[in-house]
Amino acid sequence: MRPQSCEEERKLQLQELEELSLESYESAMWYKEKTKLWHDKNLGVKELKVGQNVLLFQSKLKLMPGKLKSKWIGPFTIVGLRANGAVEIQGSAPNSIPFLVNGHRVKVFRDNSELCIVDEVPLRALPDIA
């Protein structure tokens, strides 16, 4: 083989490799964009109001892990909402002091009074096949 032809073949191989690399980069970019759109579409927005009861995420639990320990403490009552996403909450004790927490660390507390009663519909028994 001539050195000239080997050189040209090697250049073609390098060019093909670069094209594959660019194609995979583009494919990954499209995948990330589609995934972000899907997550943004399915994102639930929390609507917090003053006077609402919430639970607070207990971040210190990660230091002492336990399967049966609850990650949420409370309930607390929302005293104020800030424009930056901070939430001012207060404990249920009468002399508790309100404190600020990040809005991402709270979730709405649903007590049993908000549950709906659902009518039970009995199912008909299937005949025995013998």
Side-chain angles (χ1 to χ4, degrees), residues 16-28:
E16 285 179 21
L17 186 64
E18 188 176 342
E19 286 177 11
L20 285 172
S21 174
L22 289 173
E23 189 177 312
S24 64
Y25 175 77
E26 189 175 325
S27 175

Side-chain angles (χ1 to χ4, degrees), residues 13-62:
Q13 288 175 347
L14 288 174
Q15 189 174 1
E16 285 179 21
L17 186 64
E18 188 176 342
E19 286 177 11
L20 285 172
S21 174
L22 289 173
E23 189 177 312
S24 64
Y25 175 77
E26 189 175 325
S27 175
M29 184 182 67
W30 281 110
Y31 173 76
K32 287 180 185 179
E33 191 172 320
K34 285 180 187 177
T35 306
K36 183 180 180 342
L37 288 172
W38 184 83
H39 280 287
D40 289 348
K41 182 179 74 173
N42 293 325
L43 189 65
V45 178
K46 285 190 237 179
E47 293 188 18
L48 301 173
K49 301 172 193 143
V50 175
Q52 193 174 29
N53 286 338
V54 293
L55 296 174
L56 177 64
F57 183 73
Q58 192 174 8
S59 59
K60 292 180 183 176
L61 187 68
K62 293 178 184 175

